[in-house]
Amino acid sequence: MINPNDKKLHTDQTFLLRRSMGEIADPVQFKEEGNKHFQAGEIDKAIECYTKAIKSCKDKKALAVIYRNRSACFLKKENYNNAVSDASKAIDVDAADIKALYRRCQALEKLGKLDMAFKDVQRCATLEPKNKTFLETLRRLGADIQQKLKTTFSTDSRVQNMFDILFSDESDKEKQEKAANNLIVLAREDAGAERIFQNNGVPLLVQLIDTGKPEMILAAIRTLSGMCTGHRARATAIIHTVGISKLCSIMAVDNEEIVLATANLFQCVYDSLSGGDKRNYGKEEALVLDSSKDLKDILLALLEMIASKKVSGHGRDQALNLLTKNVPRKDKKNTDNSKGLFTIDHGLKKILKVCGQVPDLPDQLPLTENTQLIASVLLNKLYDDMRCDPERDHFRDTCDEYIKSKFDPNDMDRNIHAINTLSGILQGPFDVGNVLAGRQGVMEMMVALCGSEREVDQLVAVEALIHASTKTSKASFFISNGVTLLKDMYKKTKNEKIKIRALVGLCKLGSAGGDDYSMRQFAEGSTEKLAKQCRKWLCNPTLDVRTRKWAVEGLAYLTNDADVKDDFVEDEAALRAMFELAKSKDKTILYAVACTLVNCTNSYDKKEIIPEMVQLAKFSKQHVPEQHPKDKKDFIERRVKRLLKAGVTSALAVMVKADNSILTDQTKEMLARVFLALAEDIKDRGTIVAQGGGRALLPLALEGTDKGKIKASHALAKIAAVSNPEIAFPAERIYEVVRPLVSLLNTERDGLENFEALLGLTNLAALNDKLRVKILKEKALPEIENYMFEEHDQIRQAATECMCNLVCCKEVQDRYLEDGNDKLKLLVLLCGEDDVQLQRAAAGALAMLTAAQKKLAVKITKVTGQWLEIIQRLCIHDNPEIQHRGLVTVFNMLDADEQLAKKLIECELLEILTYVAKLEDNPKKQDAINAARACLSRAMDTGLIKPFSN
């Protein structure tokens, strides 16, 4: 028989056990913990505690208080929508909850809902009529609402006036341009965009487009871009009113400026529809958020554009660019690649059609110099976006099927289209192209085309051979099968276009050994002869840009040879010709130029050669890479100087501005490597800054491969460490430099990167408080503090100098005031080190901290027993600057606390102060002398000492 009391005891024990394991939560306890975290400034932890309390709380009144508290947390986090939501839940329980009402008022004001905020604070003022805060907020919001109404009416009339001017036949051109520009500027502000939208703006802008005037179309498109940026509701309305097909027809025109503006509009719409809008639409949320059909329609329209003959070359480029930016996953951790699969199913063959176009044949799609490379980049990104082997197999099979369908023994034009398509794939997903190149009949077709009498056939075949031998690991097949063919073409043809391409093929195959001196593919002197011919073609202005581009392609491979790169940098005319080509409209040359510059500066990764391993390899008869004598440091430095003299920095600055679809992450990494090599010598950094190198490095440090971003950040650090940052990075760019420099403080970076980043941050922190706050926001402070413990003297000194400049910031001072850390103790002990530069930095930081916070002056006496000895040493230091900083610290301590002042005056420090104060005026030591006299004056003012009597 079960005893009821035993059952109750068992239940109580189970409850206690479950509670101890966290299965049953105590809302009161969670609420109290949340309050503690909130008071300590730990907002995220407070939100976590309040959320747990809400889940377990059953009492309505207690729940209202917890919601009110969490609302305060969301206000601190600037999450105003959630703050409104929580405060409203508290008000639903108690309509007179004055704290919840005021918090909701604050959040609503931040969200721009002034009328609703006004009602809440009006309620607060009714409940507490004498509360000054409520009355002041009421007055301020009332004034803001009046101003907003006034602005709204004013804006409405301005909008109407602008459209009247634009549609008037009598308005002069200058007036219309001004009205158009004003409309664009107004649309960039949310309030202005909303007024245009509410005043029938979209239909009126469509009418402007329909005028057919380029300047009107531009103004309308740019205004629409401003209106839909970050606003899903307006973006949806614009797409439905203007129509996707109409926007595509505008982007299809042969006007680069209009095409770029329309592409930007498409991007703004796509961003807003796919999550760029963070607004809370309330009840209309479900309607506004359902944008999947619109997004799909945009993708289908863009895919139609890329294969349409009605679309201009510029329009096709931008359609491909939009697909490249928006289809592949930006984060590979995201498992949803449905957009990529959709694009392959509906558009892969259309992209292949673009790759296969041969401009020299009739009835081809309109293209620019960059179109086919952009298509190859898109193919590569789509292939990378595939998640599994079946998806990759489907991609490859679709490409294979397309190429096979084009082979026709009776139609040579279809055959060269197939081979040119293969070239496009080889420039994109190379592994796919390599498999297809090995298919039966493909190599035979290339050989047949090489032997054709038609120039276009030979050009397509040679280019395909060149692209097929891109990966040196795969080049063995082409060395055995293609070299003879290319040599025959080079020797026999009189056509310069074919000759240069055959030469590039030979250059490519000849460089299969890289910079390994012992693995030259051709006889001694052959590569130099090939390079000389490439330089000759490069400098020939009578040749077309496309042909001269191939000369740079050849040099990109031949400059693996140190003799070739040394000869090339000595030929200033060839260097300048290459730089001019890099600045031309044909951006397909960028990769080749970047490769050439990386080779000339030896800025590629090199494996460290360990002598013992070399001996071991020789003993076991393994191949040992050999360094060319001209790849030693002094030769590299000389080449860098020659490149700088020829104007390499300005060429790099132009290259960096290229569109991302052409300027791939790999190309960005190579440019970053070149910049780092150029910035190696401190004397050259001024030249780099003068030619725009500082500005050009910023995008490279923020986008691209991880290695590329590190290299660019290191180059930025080298420049920021020795240059005036306000000149090197003018205007707002200076704030963009902080993040790349902070990234170099990671412990995984090497010591030189840490050191130069700290020097750069020291320079930035010395300029203004806004920059210091930016450094703190990037979470650099803990890293800088860690490096102050570093064993390496120079890194520790650089970190301390950086901290010396950062202590001007209130947030840093507060960290030193906190209990339970050794930050101040470390600074005091560093003042006692023998390293003069380290002492100088630490003493400066101590002087500024004690001047700003009197509590820290008192805290010094508690951090270490050696404090007095260290302070005295500073006051008698041989270095006048350190002595001055020590005496300033003493003055701050005398000024901070009466008991501390008495203790200082009663020790040997009084003799030191008297001795220094009695010294004759001396320009070198005057600051220290004046500081000592100020200390004695302060002691006399407080009655601790009396003046000497005559």
Side-chain angles (χ1 to χ4, degrees), residues 103-123:
R103 280 169 193 165
R104 189 169 73 174
C105 161
Q106 289 174 297
L108 287 166
E109 183 185 356
K110 292 292 184 182
L111 290 168
K113 299 176 181 179
L114 301 184
D115 50 345
M116 293 168 72
F118 184 82
K119 286 176 185 175
D120 279 347
V121 77
Q122 198 172 36
R123 192 100 167 268

PDB file of all heavy atoms in Angstrom, residues 103-123:
ATOM      1  N   ARG A 103       8.855  54.306 -22.743  1.00  0.00           N
ATOM      2  CA  ARG A 103       9.791  53.527 -23.563  1.00  0.00           C
ATOM      3  C   ARG A 103       9.248  53.327 -24.975  1.00  0.00           C
ATOM      4  O   ARG A 103       9.983  53.392 -25.948  1.00  0.00           O
ATOM      5  CB  ARG A 103      10.083  52.177 -22.892  1.00  0.00           C
ATOM      6  CG  ARG A 103      11.103  52.323 -21.777  1.00  0.00           C
ATOM      7  CD  ARG A 103      11.242  51.117 -20.904  1.00  0.00           C
ATOM      8  NE  ARG A 103      11.992  51.469 -19.705  1.00  0.00           N
ATOM      9  CZ  ARG A 103      12.044  50.736 -18.616  1.00  0.00           C
ATOM     10  NH1 ARG A 103      11.403  49.592 -18.565  1.00  0.00           N
ATOM     11  NH2 ARG A 103      12.740  51.127 -17.569  1.00  0.00           N
ATOM     12  N   ARG A 104       7.923  53.088 -25.051  1.00  0.00           N
ATOM     13  CA  ARG A 104       7.325  52.945 -26.382  1.00  0.00           C
ATOM     14  C   ARG A 104       7.405  54.253 -27.139  1.00  0.00           C
ATOM     15  O   ARG A 104       7.644  54.276 -28.353  1.00  0.00           O
ATOM     16  CB  ARG A 104       5.874  52.463 -26.259  1.00  0.00           C
ATOM     17  CG  ARG A 104       5.277  52.098 -27.615  1.00  0.00           C
ATOM     18  CD  ARG A 104       3.963  51.381 -27.493  1.00  0.00           C
ATOM     19  NE  ARG A 104       2.874  52.281 -27.078  1.00  0.00           N
ATOM     20  CZ  ARG A 104       1.603  51.927 -27.013  1.00  0.00           C
ATOM     21  NH1 ARG A 104       1.245  50.690 -27.324  1.00  0.00           N
ATOM     22  NH2 ARG A 104       0.675  52.784 -26.611  1.00  0.00           N
ATOM     23  N   CYS A 105       7.221  55.354 -26.428  1.00  0.00           N
ATOM     24  CA  CYS A 105       7.337  56.680 -27.043  1.00  0.00           C
ATOM     25  C   CYS A 105       8.732  56.879 -27.640  1.00  0.00           C
ATOM     26  O   CYS A 105       8.880  57.320 -28.778  1.00  0.00           O
ATOM     27  CB  CYS A 105       7.043  57.759 -25.994  1.00  0.00           C
ATOM     28  SG  CYS A 105       7.655  59.394 -26.431  1.00  0.00           S
ATOM     29  N   GLN A 106       9.770  56.510 -26.859  1.00  0.00           N
ATOM     30  CA  GLN A 106      11.161  56.677 -27.334  1.00  0.00           C
ATOM     31  C   GLN A 106      11.415  55.835 -28.585  1.00  0.00           C
ATOM     32  O   GLN A 106      12.042  56.306 -29.540  1.00  0.00           O
ATOM     33  CB  GLN A 106      12.137  56.270 -26.223  1.00  0.00           C
ATOM     34  CG  GLN A 106      12.181  57.246 -25.051  1.00  0.00           C
ATOM     35  CD  GLN A 106      13.061  56.718 -23.932  1.00  0.00           C
ATOM     36  OE1 GLN A 106      12.773  55.687 -23.343  1.00  0.00           O
ATOM     37  NE2 GLN A 106      14.138  57.425 -23.660  1.00  0.00           N
ATOM     38  N   ALA A 107      10.935  54.591 -28.566  1.00  0.00           N
ATOM     39  CA  ALA A 107      11.147  53.699 -29.706  1.00  0.00           C
ATOM     40  C   ALA A 107      10.397  54.186 -30.942  1.00  0.00           C
ATOM     41  O   ALA A 107      10.931  54.172 -32.058  1.00  0.00           O
ATOM     42  CB  ALA A 107      10.697  52.284 -29.336  1.00  0.00           C
ATOM     43  N   LEU A 108       9.159  54.622 -30.751  1.00  0.00           N
ATOM     44  CA  LEU A 108       8.361  55.127 -31.877  1.00  0.00           C
ATOM     45  C   LEU A 108       8.996  56.363 -32.503  1.00  0.00           C
ATOM     46  O   LEU A 108       8.973  56.539 -33.725  1.00  0.00           O
ATOM     47  CB  LEU A 108       6.930  55.443 -31.412  1.00  0.00           C
ATOM     48  CG  LEU A 108       6.034  54.229 -31.121  1.00  0.00           C
ATOM     49  CD1 LEU A 108       4.791  54.640 -30.362  1.00  0.00           C
ATOM     50  CD2 LEU A 108       5.661  53.512 -32.421  1.00  0.00           C
ATOM     51  N   GLU A 109       9.565  57.219 -31.654  1.00  0.00           N
ATOM     52  CA  GLU A 109      10.240  58.417 -32.176  1.00  0.00           C
ATOM     53  C   GLU A 109      11.405  58.021 -33.075  1.00  0.00           C
ATOM     54  O   GLU A 109      11.604  58.601 -34.147  1.00  0.00           O
ATOM     55  CB  GLU A 109      10.733  59.288 -31.020  1.00  0.00           C
ATOM     56  CG  GLU A 109      11.366  60.587 -31.514  1.00  0.00           C
ATOM     57  CD  GLU A 109      11.975  61.431 -30.404  1.00  0.00           C
ATOM     58  OE1 GLU A 109      11.858  61.061 -29.215  1.00  0.00           O
ATOM     59  OE2 GLU A 109      12.579  62.464 -30.738  1.00  0.00           O
ATOM     60  N   LYS A 110      12.176  57.024 -32.621  1.00  0.00           N
ATOM     61  CA  LYS A 110      13.319  56.569 -33.417  1.00  0.00           C
ATOM     62  C   LYS A 110      12.873  55.951 -34.739  1.00  0.00           C
ATOM     63  O   LYS A 110      13.585  56.023 -35.737  1.00  0.00           O
ATOM     64  CB  LYS A 110      14.148  55.552 -32.626  1.00  0.00           C
ATOM     65  CG  LYS A 110      14.878  56.122 -31.431  1.00  0.00           C
ATOM     66  CD  LYS A 110      15.992  57.075 -31.851  1.00  0.00           C
ATOM     67  CE  LYS A 110      16.787  57.574 -30.655  1.00  0.00           C
ATOM     68  NZ  LYS A 110      17.837  58.525 -31.078  1.00  0.00           N
ATOM     69  N   LEU A 111      11.687  55.342 -34.744  1.00  0.00           N
ATOM     70  CA  LEU A 111      11.153  54.749 -35.968  1.00  0.00           C
ATOM     71  C   LEU A 111      10.504  55.779 -36.883  1.00  0.00           C
ATOM     72  O   LEU A 111      10.016  55.455 -37.964  1.00  0.00           O
ATOM     73  CB  LEU A 111      10.127  53.660 -35.623  1.00  0.00           C
ATOM     74  CG  LEU A 111      10.701  52.377 -34.993  1.00  0.00           C
ATOM     75  CD1 LEU A 111       9.580  51.515 -34.445  1.00  0.00           C
ATOM     76  CD2 LEU A 111      11.523  51.598 -36.003  1.00  0.00           C
ATOM     77  N   GLY A 112      10.466  57.043 -36.420  1.00  0.00           N
ATOM     78  CA  GLY A 112       9.903  58.114 -37.236  1.00  0.00           C
ATOM     79  C   GLY A 112       8.400  58.254 -37.121  1.00  0.00           C
ATOM     80  O   GLY A 112       7.783  59.045 -37.846  1.00  0.00           O
ATOM     81  N   LYS A 113       7.778  57.483 -36.205  1.00  0.00           N
ATOM     82  CA  LYS A 113       6.318  57.566 -36.015  1.00  0.00           C
ATOM     83  C   LYS A 113       6.013  58.599 -34.930  1.00  0.00           C
ATOM     84  O   LYS A 113       5.636  58.271 -33.800  1.00  0.00           O
ATOM     85  CB  LYS A 113       5.773  56.183 -35.656  1.00  0.00           C
ATOM     86  CG  LYS A 113       6.038  55.156 -36.758  1.00  0.00           C
ATOM     87  CD  LYS A 113       5.586  53.761 -36.377  1.00  0.00           C
ATOM     88  CE  LYS A 113       5.887  52.771 -37.496  1.00  0.00           C
ATOM     89  NZ  LYS A 113       5.485  51.400 -37.178  1.00  0.00           N
ATOM     90  N   LEU A 114       6.195  59.864 -35.303  1.00  0.00           N
ATOM     91  CA  LEU A 114       6.139  60.955 -34.328  1.00  0.00           C
ATOM     92  C   LEU A 114       4.743  61.142 -33.727  1.00  0.00           C
ATOM     93  O   LEU A 114       4.614  61.432 -32.531  1.00  0.00           O
ATOM     94  CB  LEU A 114       6.602  62.261 -34.983  1.00  0.00           C
ATOM     95  CG  LEU A 114       8.029  62.269 -35.565  1.00  0.00           C
ATOM     96  CD1 LEU A 114       8.367  63.652 -36.091  1.00  0.00           C
ATOM     97  CD2 LEU A 114       9.058  61.832 -34.544  1.00  0.00           C
ATOM     98  N   ASP A 115       3.702  60.985 -34.544  1.00  0.00           N
ATOM     99  CA  ASP A 115       2.344  61.208 -34.027  1.00  0.00           C
ATOM    100  C   ASP A 115       1.983  60.176 -32.955  1.00  0.00           C
ATOM    101  O   ASP A 115       1.387  60.509 -31.926  1.00  0.00           O
ATOM    102  CB  ASP A 115       1.328  61.184 -35.176  1.00  0.00           C
ATOM    103  CG  ASP A 115       1.490  59.971 -36.075  1.00  0.00           C
ATOM    104  OD1 ASP A 115       2.550  59.318 -35.989  1.00  0.00           O
ATOM    105  OD2 ASP A 115       0.571  59.682 -36.872  1.00  0.00           O
ATOM    106  N   MET A 116       2.388  58.919 -33.164  1.00  0.00           N
ATOM    107  CA  MET A 116       2.115  57.866 -32.177  1.00  0.00           C
ATOM    108  C   MET A 116       2.954  58.075 -30.915  1.00  0.00           C
ATOM    109  O   MET A 116       2.478  57.865 -29.798  1.00  0.00           O
ATOM    110  CB  MET A 116       2.412  56.489 -32.784  1.00  0.00           C
ATOM    111  CG  MET A 116       1.442  56.124 -33.919  1.00  0.00           C
ATOM    112  SD  MET A 116       1.978  54.686 -34.860  1.00  0.00           S
ATOM    113  CE  MET A 116       1.666  53.393 -33.655  1.00  0.00           C
ATOM    114  N   ALA A 117       4.201  58.505 -31.104  1.00  0.00           N
ATOM    115  CA  ALA A 117       5.073  58.791 -29.956  1.00  0.00           C
ATOM    116  C   ALA A 117       4.502  59.944 -29.141  1.00  0.00           C
ATOM    117  O   ALA A 117       4.531  59.926 -27.902  1.00  0.00           O
ATOM    118  CB  ALA A 117       6.482  59.140 -30.452  1.00  0.00           C
ATOM    119  N   PHE A 118       3.954  60.955 -29.834  1.00  0.00           N
ATOM    120  CA  PHE A 118       3.366  62.117 -29.170  1.00  0.00           C
ATOM    121  C   PHE A 118       2.194  61.706 -28.274  1.00  0.00           C
ATOM    122  O   PHE A 118       2.067  62.167 -27.145  1.00  0.00           O
ATOM    123  CB  PHE A 118       2.898  63.125 -30.232  1.00  0.00           C
ATOM    124  CG  PHE A 118       2.355  64.406 -29.656  1.00  0.00           C
ATOM    125  CD1 PHE A 118       3.213  65.422 -29.258  1.00  0.00           C
ATOM    126  CD2 PHE A 118       0.989  64.591 -29.503  1.00  0.00           C
ATOM    127  CE1 PHE A 118       2.713  66.601 -28.723  1.00  0.00           C
ATOM    128  CE2 PHE A 118       0.480  65.765 -28.977  1.00  0.00           C
ATOM    129  CZ  PHE A 118       1.355  66.774 -28.576  1.00  0.00           C
ATOM    130  N   LYS A 119       1.351  60.777 -28.772  1.00  0.00           N
ATOM    131  CA  LYS A 119       0.200  60.320 -27.978  1.00  0.00           C
ATOM    132  C   LYS A 119       0.660  59.630 -26.692  1.00  0.00           C
ATOM    133  O   LYS A 119       0.060  59.814 -25.623  1.00  0.00           O
ATOM    134  CB  LYS A 119      -0.651  59.347 -28.806  1.00  0.00           C
ATOM    135  CG  LYS A 119      -1.469  60.035 -29.895  1.00  0.00           C
ATOM    136  CD  LYS A 119      -2.215  59.016 -30.738  1.00  0.00           C
ATOM    137  CE  LYS A 119      -2.939  59.692 -31.905  1.00  0.00           C
ATOM    138  NZ  LYS A 119      -3.571  58.713 -32.804  1.00  0.00           N
ATOM    139  N   ASP A 120       1.740  58.834 -26.795  1.00  0.00           N
ATOM    140  CA  ASP A 120       2.235  58.123 -25.605  1.00  0.00           C
ATOM    141  C   ASP A 120       2.789  59.078 -24.557  1.00  0.00           C
ATOM    142  O   ASP A 120       2.501  58.954 -23.366  1.00  0.00           O
ATOM    143  CB  ASP A 120       3.323  57.113 -26.007  1.00  0.00           C
ATOM    144  CG  ASP A 120       2.734  55.821 -26.542  1.00  0.00           C
ATOM    145  OD1 ASP A 120       1.517  55.611 -26.378  1.00  0.00           O
ATOM    146  OD2 ASP A 120       3.485  55.018 -27.129  1.00  0.00           O
ATOM    147  N   VAL A 121       3.585  60.053 -24.994  1.00  0.00           N
ATOM    148  CA  VAL A 121       4.174  60.982 -24.019  1.00  0.00           C
ATOM    149  C   VAL A 121       3.110  61.935 -23.460  1.00  0.00           C
ATOM    150  O   VAL A 121       3.200  62.394 -22.317  1.00  0.00           O
ATOM    151  CB  VAL A 121       5.371  61.756 -24.633  1.00  0.00           C
ATOM    152  CG1 VAL A 121       4.923  62.876 -25.558  1.00  0.00           C
ATOM    153  CG2 VAL A 121       6.263  62.312 -23.530  1.00  0.00           C
ATOM    154  N   GLN A 122       2.057  62.179 -24.257  1.00  0.00           N
ATOM    155  CA  GLN A 122       0.933  62.998 -23.776  1.00  0.00           C
ATOM    156  C   GLN A 122       0.227  62.277 -22.610  1.00  0.00           C
ATOM    157  O   GLN A 122      -0.135  62.895 -21.606  1.00  0.00           O
ATOM    158  CB  GLN A 122      -0.045  63.223 -24.938  1.00  0.00           C
ATOM    159  CG  GLN A 122      -1.002  64.375 -24.735  1.00  0.00           C
ATOM    160  CD  GLN A 122      -1.808  64.662 -25.997  1.00  0.00           C
ATOM    161  OE1 GLN A 122      -2.181  63.740 -26.728  1.00  0.00           O
ATOM    162  NE2 GLN A 122      -2.071  65.924 -26.262  1.00  0.00           N
ATOM    163  N   ARG A 123       0.099  60.951 -22.740  1.00  0.00           N
ATOM    164  CA  ARG A 123      -0.480  60.133 -21.680  1.00  0.00           C
ATOM    165  C   ARG A 123       0.403  60.168 -20.431  1.00  0.00           C
ATOM    166  O   ARG A 123      -0.079  60.276 -19.301  1.00  0.00           O
ATOM    167  CB  ARG A 123      -0.585  58.697 -22.201  1.00  0.00           C
ATOM    168  CG  ARG A 123      -1.423  57.783 -21.338  1.00  0.00           C
ATOM    169  CD  ARG A 123      -2.826  57.617 -21.931  1.00  0.00           C
ATOM    170  NE  ARG A 123      -3.516  56.512 -21.290  1.00  0.00           N
ATOM    171  CZ  ARG A 123      -3.482  55.264 -21.749  1.00  0.00           C
ATOM    172  NH1 ARG A 123      -2.799  55.002 -22.848  1.00  0.00           N
ATOM    173  NH2 ARG A 123      -4.144  54.318 -21.130  1.00  0.00           N
TER     174      ARG A 123
END
